Amino acid sequence: KRRKAEQAKAKAAAAAPRPLLTFQTRIHSHSACDRDSIMPSKHVRVVVRTRPTGRFAEQTFRIHEDTNAIDVKLPKSDVGGTVNNQVDSFSFKFDRVLHNASQERVFDEFARELLGTGGTGVLDGFNGTCMAYGQTGAGKTFTMVGGPANFAYRGIIPRCITALFTAIAARPECAITVRLGALEIYNELMMDLLPYPSAGDTAADQQIQEDSKGGVSVKGLTRRVALTEEECLQAFFEADAARAVSEHSLNVLSSRSHFVVTLFVESRSRVESNERVVYSKIHLVDLAGSERLKKTGSFGATLKEATFINKSLTFLEQVVVALSDKRRDHVPYRSSKLTHLLKDSIGGNCRTMMIANIWPEGSHVEETVSTLRFATRMMRVSNEATQNIQLDSQQLIRKYEREIRDLKQELAMHDILSGRSQMSYEPYTPEEQREIEKAAEQYFEGEVADVDITSIKQVRELFQSMRRLYQNQQQALQSRPARAHPSQAPGAGAEGDVAEGGQPAAEGAGGADEGVGDEEAAAGLSVGVAADQSKRAK
């Protein structure tokens, strides 16, 4: 029995699969070799973040972080009567669900990949966008900007700046330039938050322009060069301090505008050919929150701001709905400044991520369900992220000039070694051109039997000289007066004139005596036209 048990145990060990660690090691090695061919995810990645609250509605919300799902159970209203077919339960599934997560965890699990992992980040030429969406007071500004109370409360924008310059320091072989631009869309007016002192009123309302490839940019937007992380953070804090904020019943510091921070990155290689420029941009967007006026109690200027905010968010949802429907041909990007600015981020050349901030309390169930529905639609939007590479024209010109100079030197060395030391590869002077043209004239007139050919450049100049000579000859012939025909000489009879007796008048004789010619004083005869006497007159 003991021997049979040992044999069965040995068979089971032989049939068992190999250790999982070896398999994972092989997969990791394979992906490291092929990481340059990995392309970014096409669909918009959506993460839901809950605002920490002491009044969490446990009977209404079921949050499953392990399956990245959220279940919502609504209490049925008594208004519908006994038979009430109102939908009272919803289930949503997202790419990631973060419940009571810290700022560091949100950045590490969500936004860090925009900077580059596996050759698909912003330093590799791929555009990126990270936006926060949700109702007012749900924690969007805290997620993107952070809180001033503690350094650990830094938001995604300052953490992205720090991580970007850390990644730049790890690439000494590249010369990377970072520029920062910041704007806000306030009451459908686009304002530059980092204007130069000389800009004046030009920074009050910026305009959006599109290039030939469909890319979107803001005309005249200030792009402040940041050589260090400190300079970049200083520019960001300056722009954040200039935002429009206000107070209402749900939020003491409510954002009254859409805040957009853009990092423009330009990279050149210090090792390889430096005319190849890799450029990209990251949009970091803090959207203003949607508001229900009966809850916020807004009035006056705050009411007007809330109207513009809700209107622009409605147009944003219309764009998302149009992109998620494959049967739609037209996408209303130009309905608002926000949708037009985010044209690249939503359905364009970009890797886009969205954080849906929710407030899981019983008094905000309707707003939470609306936010989750919008986030579900956003996941259906597909982007085509491509690497942005262009060639610097000025660098190319310098490169070609160096190549031409090197080739001329190499040809000069070759001519010296082959006994052709008098060869020149510079353009011909006017005196040399006249000498070549004179040689062509002598060849045409037969004065010389051959022309000595020394280079291809001389052959080209010789053909050009021949062309000029031919054109001059044609112009001379055209300007010469036409030569009269003998039949049109003075005294000759007009064509068709008939002499007496029905015979044509004799040409050259003035219609006088009919004869072969007239005798002149000088020796010889003058030639005329004999009359037609082949037929005898009757």
Side-chain angles (χ1 to χ4, degrees), residues 58-341:
E58 298 180 355
Q59 301 298 326
T60 305
F61 299 101
R62 291 287 187 273
I63 298 176
H64 310 282
E65 284 194 85
D66 52 347
T67 60
N68 298 319
I70 298 177
D71 297 331
V72 182
K73 179 71 173 179
L74 299 178
K76 285 195 175 183
S77 176
D78 297 335
V79 180
T82 306
V83 180
N84 189 352
N85 294 326
Q86 176 187 359
V87 179
D88 59 352
S89 61
F90 302 91
S91 182
F92 304 94
K93 188 174 180 59
F94 302 98
D95 295 314
R96 198 79 174 90
V97 175
L98 301 177
H99 182 49
N100 296 333
S102 63
Q103 295 280 72
E104 183 178 4
R105 182 186 173 193
V106 172
F107 176 74
D108 291 338
E109 297 187 9
F110 176 67
R112 184 180 291 276
E113 63 181 84
L114 285 177
L115 301 177
T117 54
T120 58
V122 64
L123 294 180
D124 302 296
F126 292 94
N127 297 332
T129 297
C130 179
M131 67 175 70
Y133 177 89
Q135 73 171 103
T136 181
K140 300 179 300 300
T141 302
F142 181 78
T143 299
M144 297 301 299
V145 179
N150 194 328
F151 184 76
Y153 294 162
R154 290 175 302 151
I156 288 178
I157 298 178
R159 290 176 185 271
C160 273
I161 293 175
T162 301
L164 177 62
F165 279 91
T166 302
I168 291 174
R171 298 193 180 191
E173 72 278 5
C174 298
I176 302 176
T177 305
V178 179
R179 295 178 175 86
L180 185 140
L183 59 88
E184 69 172 352
I185 303 176
Y186 176 77
N187 290 352
E188 206 56 25
L189 296 176
M190 189 174 296
M191 301 182 182
D192 189 355
L193 297 178
L194 294 173
Y196 291 110
S198 59
D201 295 336
T202 58
D205 187 15
Q206 303 292 319
Q207 301 298 323
I208 299 174
Q209 61 183 6
E210 297 187 17
D211 56 19
S212 58
K213 298 181 180 180
V216 176
S217 61
V218 180
K219 184 178 180 181
L221 179 66
T222 303
R223 300 183 180 183
R224 189 172 296 183
V225 178
L227 301 179
T228 61
E229 176 187 348
E230 290 75 14
E231 293 182 2
C232 194
L233 288 174
Q234 178 64 30
F236 161 66
F237 291 141
E238 180 181 342
D240 180 52
R243 308 177 53 182
V245 295
S246 182
E247 180 183 356
H248 56 71
S249 59
L250 295 181
N251 195 352
V252 178
L253 296 175
S254 175
S255 301
R256 312 313 296 166
S257 62
H258 305 298
F259 182 48
V260 182
V261 176
T262 306
L263 296 173
F264 301 92
V265 182
E266 184 178 303
S267 176
R268 303 171 185 266
S269 176
R270 291 192 176 104
V271 180
E272 300 175 355
S273 177
N274 57 359
E275 71 272 1
R276 181 177 180 268
V277 182
V278 179
Y279 63 96
S280 59
K281 61 183 178 181
I282 306 180
H283 285 314
L284 303 172
V285 187
D286 178 19
L287 297 175
S290 59
E291 299 182 14
R292 288 182 179 267
L293 300 181
K294 64 180 181 180
K295 291 185 178 182
T296 59
S298 301
F299 63 92
T302 308
L303 175 61
K304 181 180 178 181
E305 294 166 352
T307 303
F308 277 100
I309 291 172
N310 291 338
K311 184 179 179 180
S312 62
L313 293 177
T314 301
F315 287 135
L316 176 62
E317 186 170 4
Q318 290 178 2
V319 170
V320 172
V321 171
L323 289 172
S324 59
D325 188 359
K326 297 182 179 179
R327 297 173 295 179
R328 294 279 295 270
D329 295 331
H330 173 67
V331 181
Y333 284 114
R334 296 178 180 266
S335 299
S336 66
K337 295 285 185 66
L338 176 64
T339 55
H340 198 185
L341 178 64

Side-chain angles (χ1 to χ4, degrees), residues 491-500 502-512 514 529-532:
E495 185 179 357
D497 290 348
V498 181
E500 294 180 1
Q503 298 295 334
E507 298 180 3
E514 297 179 2
V529 179
D532 188 6

